[in-house]
């Protein structure tokens, strides 16, 4: 069904598309074999792989890396997937620290593993704490703390629970955002 759906969309429009495989958010897991079949459709140009499974990501890159771009969608494992051949990261943390995430990705793409991993290590707590509640609740709260947006969030999302405020603030500090 996923193959037929994405194929129908790709054939109906003249727009490049990136597949979205985020099983933790969608409760559907697009298998590598399905992505490989979809890679033959010209305007399907990439896939966001947020499985966090590096072995599976490596296999995906080997299957489709010559036909489409593979991007990480999991901040915690992004550096390692890029070092395996992914083209970048479609990131949550980049909403809070875009330059840091961009630098980390550029370094990993250039093969500068130690430098990329050093940035990743500094961002590790933030990568984790931005998921203490459903995305984008913690991100919106963090951006508000940084003065980048006003308070407020639209339903069905709700403000970040008070019990998580100190954890997210500590992660912002350890990442160098505050």
């Amino acid at each position: 069904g996923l193959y037929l759906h994405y194929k129908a969309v790709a054939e109906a429009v003249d727009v490049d598309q990136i597949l979205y495989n985020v099983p933790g958010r969608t409760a559907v897991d697009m298998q590598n074999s399905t992505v490989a079949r979809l890679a033959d459709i010209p305007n399907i140009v990439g896939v966001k792989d947020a499985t966090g499974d590096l072995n599976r990501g490596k296999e995906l890159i080997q299957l489709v890396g010559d036909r489409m771009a593979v991007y990480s969608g999991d901040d915690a494992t992004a550096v390692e997937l890029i070092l395996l051949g992914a083209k970048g990261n479609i990131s949550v943390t980049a909403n809070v620290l875009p330059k840091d995430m961009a630098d980390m990705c550029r370094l990993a793409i250039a093969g500068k593993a130690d430098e990329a991993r050093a940035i990743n290590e500094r961002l590790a707590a933030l990568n984790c704490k931005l998921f203490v509640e459903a995305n984008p609740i913690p991100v919106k709260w963090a951006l508000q703390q940084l003065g980048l947006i006003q308070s407020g969030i639209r339903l069905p999302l709700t403000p970040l629970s008070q019990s998580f405020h100190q954890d997210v603030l500590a992660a912002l500090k350890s990442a160098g955002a505050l």
Side-chain angles (χ1 to χ4, degrees), residues 2-174:
L2 287 174
Y3 172 81
L4 293 174
H5 170 75
Y6 280 110
K7 181 178 182 287
V9 171
E11 290 172 348
V13 298
D14 187 26
V15 176
D16 287 347
Q17 297 164 49
I18 296 176
L19 304 172
Y20 183 88
N21 190 30
V22 187
R25 193 143 165 100
T26 63
V28 175
D29 188 359
M30 189 178 336
Q31 298 301 304
N32 285 354
S33 57
T34 303
V35 176
R37 289 174 62 203
L38 289 164
D40 291 329
I41 299 171
N43 60 332
I44 296 180
V45 299
V47 58
K48 173 183 175 176
D49 175 44
T51 63
D53 181 335
L54 290 172
N55 289 327
R56 183 173 165 178
K58 180 179 180 180
E59 176 188 286
L60 181 61
I61 292 165
Q62 291 169 346
L63 280 172
V64 303
D66 60 336
R67 296 179 286 154
M68 70 166 47
V70 175
Y71 299 98
S72 174
D74 179 61
D75 288 330
T77 60
V79 164
E80 299 307 321
L81 193 62
I82 294 168
L83 291 169
L84 290 170
K87 302 301 183 193
N89 183 26
I90 299 174
S91 169
V92 170
T93 302
N95 288 284
V96 178
L97 289 171
K99 182 183 181 316
D100 297 62
M101 290 301 292
D103 289 346
M104 184 188 77
C105 290
R106 273 193 286 278
L107 289 165
I109 289 168
K112 297 180 179 181
D114 291 341
E115 293 174 66
R117 287 179 177 135
I119 294 172
N120 188 56
E121 186 175 319
R122 181 172 46 80
L123 300 178
L126 185 60
N127 290 339
C128 177
K129 296 303 179 186
L130 289 178
F131 288 93
V132 294
E133 286 189 343
N135 181 36
I137 291 170
V139 173
K140 299 278 188 178
W141 189 84
L143 292 173
Q144 179 193 351
Q145 299 310 299
L146 296 174
L148 298 172
I149 64 171
Q150 296 178 343
S151 65
I153 197 162
R154 64 176 168 72
L155 293 172
L157 302 174
T158 58
L160 182 68
S161 298
Q162 179 71 36
S163 62
F164 296 121
H165 288 195
Q166 289 308 311
D167 289 344
V168 177
L169 280 174
L172 286 167
K173 289 177 185 171
S174 73

